[in-house]
Amino acid sequence: MANQKLGLVFFPAFDWAISPAHPEREERLLYTRDQIVEEGLLDMPCIREYKPQIAQYKDLERVHIGVPDLSSLITNAHLVSAGGAIAAADAVMRREVDRTFALVRPPGHHAMRVVHGTRGFCTINIEAIMVEYLRKTYGIGKVAIVDTDVHHGDGTQDVFYHDPNTLFISFHQDGRTLYPGTGFTNEMGSPNALGTTLNIPLPPGTTDAGLHEVLDHLILPVLNDFKPDIIINSAGQDNHYSDPLANMAITAQGYARLADKLKADIAVLEGGYSIENALPYVNVGIILAMAGMDYSKVIEPDIATCPVQSSAVTRSITAIIKERQNMWATKEKLQQEAIAQAGQFWQRERSIYYDDAGIDERQKEVVRLCPNCSGYVTIETEAHGMFGYKSAYIATIPNYACPTCQKAAYDAAYKAKKQGKQQLYFVQNKMEDRLEIM
Amino acid sequence: MFLGLDVGGTFTDGVAVSAGKIISTVKTPTTHNNLLECILRAIDKVVLDTGNKNFERIALSTTIVTNALVEDKIDKVGLCIMPGPGMNIKDALPKAPYIVSGYIDHRGHEVARPKEEEVMAACRHFSSCDIFAISGKFAVRNSSYESMIADWIREKVKPSHISLGARVSGSLNFLRRTNSAYYNGAVWRHFNQFATAVEDALLSRGICGPVYVLKADGGTLPLAVAREFPVEAIFTGPAASVLGIMSMHPTRGPAVSLDIGGTTTDIALWQKGTPIFAEQGAKVAGYATSVRAFRLKSIGIGGDSFVRWEKNALKVGPVRYGPAMAVGGSKPTITDAMIAIGLIEFGDKQLAINAMKELALEGQTPYEVANMALDEAVTCIYQAVMSLLAEQEAEPVYRVEDIVQGRRINIEQILGVGGGAIGLIPLVAKKMGLSYHLPDHGMVANAIGAAVARPTLDLTLRADTVEGYYTVAELDIKSRLPKSRFTLEDASLLAEQHLAELAKVNGIFLGETELIQAEEFNVIRGFNTVGKIITCRLQVKPGVLLPSKEVF
């Protein structure tokens, strides 16, 4: 235990809640804090505690476009939570520790690129902000994000859907049975990034056995194949058998072994709402595993109530592993087909519902399938909610965009502004690291 | 009349304080092989000076516990722990524990009862032990299992002493409580022999007055209580000096105090006229404990620090070879540099100048090299102050508000005590661009601190309104809540009552109390609030036994 292995950014935000009785409220990490402190984990020589920073708007705007602006949609808690993820990233990049766990609130993986309000308890995507910070500050290229929350990480998927350098893997309880109702196998990334979005919808009732099947035969081999520069774990903990918002059957041991095998460089807490019966044990298990310590003694008092996996569940897990392995093996072919089919531009239209804010958003997204870069993206968004009507036109220039795409993105924004159909016009220029209001 | 004694590494200091005035000071060499000898010599001198044998209080700051540990005069302790599920703690402890099943969960629920046959096996395993320590995870939320095991052991082997984790500290941190309970047991016999010797000696000289022992957090414990919790009497030297400064400190703004001795400089931070506590307990023999202490930093720079060239750079400390050459020492020191320049008058100035000449490079005057040495010492102290400030600022906080507001301490003043203060403090102050204050009697600040330190105590009350219970681990209390709508305010009133009770049991004056932790969380089932979890930690405010206007 000579080297400090794990950096822990622990920020329970004891003075922040979405609303008093909301699952995302003050005491969500209270019992976790009690357990961590009582164990004496913070005194272990291989664990070092870090304080979060306050994220800058510049950090947020590399990912998000807030309509009308981010500052009216978020609180200081969001800046601290994102700053917690950034502090975790810095600690690893400065090699002060081997890996870090940002155990912070509020969570972020349902927050998409365009933000009109809060959805799935998330307003800004703290992992995505951290990833773009890593790219801008440390020049990190290939990133893999493994989302282990029970809910599909639709926000993170959205942010990186057109980015071939970010592999987004999400396993989750099947979207037909759980919020947000996405994360199906046909969502694989837009043609230029086809295959770098890998969804693994699992049947309700999946246990440690099923999860580790998926991990061993699908997730770890795919990671090995993709060879990322860094692995991020979007560490939601609501697959636990006692979680009130979902129906899976993972234990603290299952999570700890997952963390042990995944060996993520940085883990960022997402959901997990069994605050009393699961979180203290799951979090301690993950911390021990990430610190390279013995986690075999972390066992929930009510472990006897954890269901066993049915044979039907086992069969469908085997089937999905096989189907996804095939997709991964043939993704180049699938990509060529998709590009050929789409032509010069790929586009989609979507409705996005903000459950926490009661907002309906309509989006039209267009990506240029550029042969030289990952292509610029334009988004037309309009939203209805309690506030009335909001609309915006956004052109996004990716990192490493070719000159043609850079110019075309501005041209598109000017053209839209001239037409005047929307209230606001933005160019998110990732190459020059700024968000411009036209 | 208050009598204060500080047994230091080199000298044992004594002071007598009456009506806010120092009426006697004594400095006598510490007799390391028999601490009682120097303590009594100091007391005898004060008695001779003042003609008084009746004291309101005799307070002692001593290295007895620290020495017991350093010299390995500690007892074998039968350490029984109930870790429940979680981290594997057994390799993190100073001694191999005997693990007993049974556990309490984070809400204080009794999940699995300990087994008597396992405890009996533990007694056999520790058959050569006469002292036991017992510690259970979350025992501060419900100490019944710790008490149960203690009863079984008492019945079976009748040990001389049993230390219980939850009694040693009421705060969360099983690891620290376990270490504290272990060390408390380990030094128990040695400390008790010492305490008995002190009492006997005072009695035989006809000296009257209740005896107190200083704690690392600057509080004092009646000797009878210290006999039960001797681990609290560790690291009291720096605490005594901090308290001495408190009694002499006229400002209430943020400050840093520097106690510059012969070998080390002890640094402490101050806000609103009181020293800042470390968030976590002190380390004992390298192991984290729950012993509360001030936030202190000690660096190896003092008046006797050896000055020499190392690879073309002038180095100062942490080595020390004895006193300054100006008073007959053999190697150049910081004190020589100060004397040579004329910052202080002490010993033989010519010898000090010779010491600097010895150091000077070709073409360098003794004055120049002395300045370089002092610069180096000042830089070391300055960097240590900055790093202590940075540590304080980096302490994690768990509320958005605290992050946004930040924790910067903008120091306004430097307070200097100790032998090296007069010469060095003005230089440090100049480097930091701050004003400074050098109180009179700074040389015996430690003994003054011991004389006037107010007794302190703290306790943690935790109420769980869903369960309908509250606990106070330090008093081994688990009781039903007195009313149905129990609020944080009710909790702090109840804590106040129990603190008064604890103070009475310990024979100390309650004085002013302060809430050092207050937390209130709703417990929600479905979407309804079904109750609250309330924690409040209350302490008798540390301070000095003097009217606020009276400073030395």
Side-chain angles (χ1 to χ4, degrees), chain A residues 1-119:
Chain A
M1 292 206 289
N3 279 344
Q4 290 206 306
K5 283 210 164 125
L6 177 67
L8 190 63
V9 182
F10 182 56
F11 188 71
F14 281 157
D15 54 349
W16 182 85
I18 288 182
S19 65
H22 196 282
E24 192 48 71
R25 62 177 179 267
E26 291 91 342
E27 90 267 28
R28 196 177 140 225
L29 294 180
L30 170 66
Y31 307 105
T32 293
R33 189 272 316 256
D34 286 357
Q35 194 80 33
I36 290 174
V37 172
E38 175 67 357
E39 297 283 356
L41 274 173
L42 302 174
D43 293 319
M44 289 295 108
C46 53
I47 295 176
R48 173 169 167 187
E49 189 175 9
Y50 286 88
K51 194 175 176 175
Q53 312 169 6
I54 301 176
Q56 305 298 306
Y57 275 92
K58 201 173 178 56
D59 298 320
L60 273 48
E61 286 169 351
R62 271 181 213 124
V63 172
H64 296 295
I65 301 97
V67 184
D69 52 58
L70 280 174
S71 61
S72 58
L73 299 171
I74 64 169
T75 64
N76 282 333
H78 295 100
L79 295 176
V80 176
S81 172
I86 287 173
D90 279 336
V92 166
M93 295 311 294
R94 290 186 196 133
R95 299 187 187 280
E96 292 170 359
V97 286
D98 291 343
R99 54 188 99 256
T100 45
F101 185 14
L103 200 51
V104 297
R105 302 175 50 234
H109 78 148
H110 295 303
M112 299 195 172
R113 192 196 296 263
V114 178
V115 180
H116 287 280
T118 304
R119 55 189 306 279

Side-chain angles (χ1 to χ4, degrees), chain B residues 160-493:
Chain B
S160 300
H161 173 79
I162 301 181
S163 289
L164 298 184
R167 295 296 296 277
V168 173
S169 163
S171 300
L172 287 180
N173 201 323
F174 173 55
L175 174 70
R176 285 175 182 263
R177 286 197 313 275
T178 304
N179 288 340
S180 281
Y182 166 74
Y183 282 114
N184 197 60
V187 300
W188 180 85
R189 192 184 312 278
H190 191 71
F191 183 84
N192 272 270
Q193 284 165 353
F194 170 76
T196 304
V198 169
E199 279 176 331
D200 290 351
L202 292 176
L203 196 66
S204 70
R205 284 166 159 74
I207 296 167
C208 297
V211 180
Y212 289 79
V213 173
L214 214 67
K215 293 196 290 174
D217 67 358
T220 51
L221 281 180
L223 196 56
V225 182
R227 281 173 178 273
E228 277 304 294
F229 300 107
V231 73
E232 295 281 350
I234 200 161
F235 307 129
T236 58
S241 129
V242 163
L243 284 157
I245 294 165
M246 190 186 264
S247 68
M248 304 179 279
H249 171 30
T251 106
R252 301 191 64 78
V256 61
S257 66
L258 303 171
D259 180 352
I260 306 179
T263 319
T264 59
T265 295
D266 291 333
I267 309 166
L269 300 175
W270 297 71
Q271 248 175 345
K272 294 176 189 156
T274 51
I276 294 176
F277 281 94
E279 304 271 327
Q280 302 285 349
K283 274 196 169 178
V284 175
Y287 289 90
T289 73
S290 53
V291 174
R292 238 156 80 85
F294 295 126
R295 182 175 282 287
L296 290 168
K297 194 179 200 84
S298 194
I299 57 162
I301 299 282
D304 296 343
S305 291
F306 174 44
V307 184
R308 78 282 177 191
W309 289 97
E310 251 175 43
K311 291 181 192 142
N312 302 325
L314 199 62
K315 294 274 181 202
V316 175
V319 215
R320 154 181 198 257
Y321 288 108
M325 287 173 76
V327 289
S330 60
K331 309 237 160 140
T333 68
I334 279 297
T335 302
D336 290 317
M338 293 193 281
I339 297 168
I341 286 181
L343 281 177
I344 52 172
E345 279 177 30
F346 183 57
D348 183 334
K349 186 167 180 175
Q350 195 49 52
L351 287 178
I353 292 171
N354 291 348
M356 292 301 113
K357 267 188 190 151
E358 207 176 278
L359 270 179
L361 301 176
E362 223 181 286
Q364 206 176 23
T365 65
Y367 185 81
E368 281 165 353
V369 79
N371 259 326
M372 273 183 84
L374 292 175
D375 260 357
E376 177 61 21
V378 166
T379 303
C380 289
I381 293 172
Y382 168 77
Q383 281 166 350
V385 170
M386 286 307 167
S387 92
L388 185 60
L389 279 170
E391 272 172 38
Q392 174 68 17
E393 279 168 25
E395 273 297 335
V397 290
Y398 295 156
R399 290 157 38 90
V400 177
E401 187 67 19
D402 297 334
I403 293 267
V404 173
Q405 292 200 336
R407 273 203 167 192
R408 275 208 83 78
I409 301 171
N410 292 310
I411 290 179
E412 291 166 2
Q413 197 181 37
I414 299 177
L415 307 154
V417 296
I422 296 171
L424 281 175
I425 294 290
L427 302 178
V428 177
K430 192 175 166 205
K431 182 161 180 93
M432 296 184 73
L434 297 171
S435 66
Y436 66 89
H437 177 64
L438 298 169
D440 298 339
H441 302 295
M443 303 282 278
V444 287
N446 304 25
I448 296 172
V452 300
R454 198 154 60 188
T456 64
L457 277 176
D458 72 286
L459 61 71
T460 310
L461 183 142
R462 184 169 183 279
D464 189 326
T465 71
V466 187
E467 304 288 321
Y469 279 101
Y470 75 93
T471 52
V472 182
E474 292 89 343
L475 281 161
D476 200 14
I477 287 175
K478 183 184 179 202
S479 294
R480 289 216 73 78
L481 289 171
K483 56 193 270 200
S484 58
R485 285 203 162 275
F486 192 79
T487 64
L488 181 60
E489 221 166 282
D490 296 325
S492 84
L493 284 174

